[in-house]
Amino acid sequence: MGKTNSSRDWTQIYAIYGMDQWQTLVFLLFHAVFFSLLSVLFLLYFESIFHFFQTFLSSPGAARFAAGFSGGVTAISAVCLFFAAANFFYSAGPLHYDMAQRMVGSVNDWSTVKLALDIGCGRGILLNAVATQLKKTGSSGRVVGLDPSKRTTLSTLRTANVEGVGEYVTCREGDVRSLPFGDNYFDVVVSAVFVHTVGKEYGHRTVEAAAERMRVLGEMVRVLKPGGVGVLWDLLHVPEYVRRLQELKMEDIRVSERVTAFMVSSHMVSFRKPSQHVAGPGEVRLDWRC
């Protein structure tokens, strides 16, 4: 899949885009510090803790093992929590920015793109990457950012202006499960770490949640023009996306190598919508809905 050498300092990324779900980062850091202090206390007061365990365990060896084991677990927990916080911080900014550049690089020719769509545009990292590419190629095209939250779309427009691509960007609020656009409308459709959140009210691993994700994928395909390109970066559920794209007879389906994002596995998937979808001898099916 296409790659780009574009890079940006993480301080610039966060200065422009901020961070979604910063509460999660605070939660991880708080508990990391808590377990760090707890492990230090285990080290400083090991003998007292050892005697405490002796009140429950008759064997001194067992009590010493229990005290040491407890201290080790707290220390390991602190390390794991710090790692999780670091990965979350990296994934929300620098990695997201880097993956946006890679997604843009997956489209071979932006000069012919007139309309692009970013589903679940969020803070606008991917949206602005697309707009920047349109600007670089001298295209007269535009990119539409769709998000369920009106407040998010307004803040995204501000980031587009900061990036100097405001004239290439349109944002609107809408239901991603029923996109407010006609069939075969966009030349390119993209989405970054969003589709896995659809249907989360049912629980991520339920049949209902999977059906909602497939519905979004079907809408993504429906609004894509024949010959158009779709690029999706998401967490956890990429294999089911690939199966559904194969069922829909998409072409040139490509899956990137595994990338750890937000402490889980993620992949980027690109595909092309065929010019015609032949469902049987002499029959062309034009309905792409799930």
Side-chain angles (χ1 to χ4, degrees):
M1 303 188 96
K3 291 187 179 183
T4 178
N5 293 324
S6 298
S7 61
R8 174 179 270 180
D9 186 80
W10 66 269
T11 57
Q12 292 178 309
I13 297 171
Y14 281 113
I16 295 172
Y17 296 101
M19 173 182 283
D20 286 334
Q21 298 179 330
W22 58 267
Q23 299 93 336
T24 302
L25 181 62
V26 172
F27 174 87
L28 291 170
L29 286 173
F30 174 82
H31 284 84
V33 171
F34 172 77
F35 277 98
S36 296
L37 294 174
L38 197 60
S39 62
V40 171
L41 290 175
F42 264 94
L43 185 63
L44 294 176
Y45 299 99
F46 181 80
E47 288 301 320
S48 298
I49 295 170
F50 161 64
H51 291 302
F52 171 77
F53 275 106
Q54 265 194 315
T55 60
F56 301 98
L57 301 170
S58 57
S59 170
R64 189 170 294 275
F65 173 80
F69 180 79
S70 300
V73 168
T74 57
I76 292 171
S77 298
V79 171
C80 291
L81 285 164
F82 274 120
F83 175 80
N87 184 258
F88 188 92
F89 182 82
Y90 172 69
S91 300
L95 179 62
H96 196 152
Y97 184 85
D98 180 61
M99 292 300 293
Q101 305 306 312
R102 291 182 59 184
M103 293 174 74
V104 168
S106 297
V107 180
N108 292 326
D109 186 9
W110 283 96
S111 63
T112 60
V113 174
K114 300 300 179 185
L115 277 174
L117 172 66
D118 180 7
I119 298 175
C121 60
R123 295 169 292 161
I125 294 178
L126 175 57
L127 182 76
N128 291 336
V130 171
T132 299
Q133 189 63 30
L134 291 172
K135 185 177 181 179
K136 284 180 180 178
T137 57
S139 171
S140 59
R142 295 182 65 85
V143 56
V144 179
L146 187 79
D147 197 271
S149 169
K150 185 176 182 179
R151 181 179 178 181
T152 298
T153 59
L154 293 175
S155 63
T156 302
L157 284 174
R158 288 194 290 270
T159 65
N161 290 325
V162 171
E163 293 281 26
V165 292
E167 67 272 25
Y168 292 88
V169 170
T170 301
C171 290
R172 62 181 296 178
E173 179 188 7
D175 184 1
V176 298
R177 307 172 208 205
S178 181
L179 297 176
F181 307 105
D183 296 354
N184 309 321
Y185 195 76
F186 293 97
D187 301 291
V188 173
V189 179
V190 297
S191 182
V193 285
F194 173 77
V195 177
H196 73 280
T197 66
V198 178
K200 62 183 180 182
E201 63 271 21
Y202 299 108
H204 283 294
R205 299 194 178 278
T206 63
V207 173
E208 293 82 359
E212 293 296 285
R213 292 191 295 270
M214 294 305 98
R215 186 176 174 185
V216 175
L217 199 64
E219 284 291 284
M220 186 176 184
V221 171
R222 178 184 67 81
V223 300
L224 193 60
K225 289 180 181 178
V229 176
V231 188
L232 173 69
W233 172 43
D234 208 19
L235 315 176
L236 299 173
H237 307 292
V238 169
E240 69 184 39
Y241 302 159
V242 173
R243 286 193 297 270
R244 184 55 184 160
L245 290 171
Q246 291 171 335
E247 291 172 359
L248 292 171
K249 307 300 181 185
M250 294 297 103
E251 298 176 347
D252 298 332
I253 301 173
R254 300 183 181 185
V255 182
S256 73
E257 71 279 7
R258 178 181 181 273
V259 177
T260 300
F262 301 100
M263 299 165 287
V264 297
S265 173
S266 77
H267 295 270
M268 185 168 67
V269 182
S270 66
F271 63 92
R272 183 169 60 85
K273 185 174 179 178
S275 299
Q276 289 185 328
H277 191 187
V278 180
E283 179 186 0
V284 177
R285 181 161 67 87
L286 297 178
D287 185 6
W288 299 91
R289 296 177 179 85
C290 291

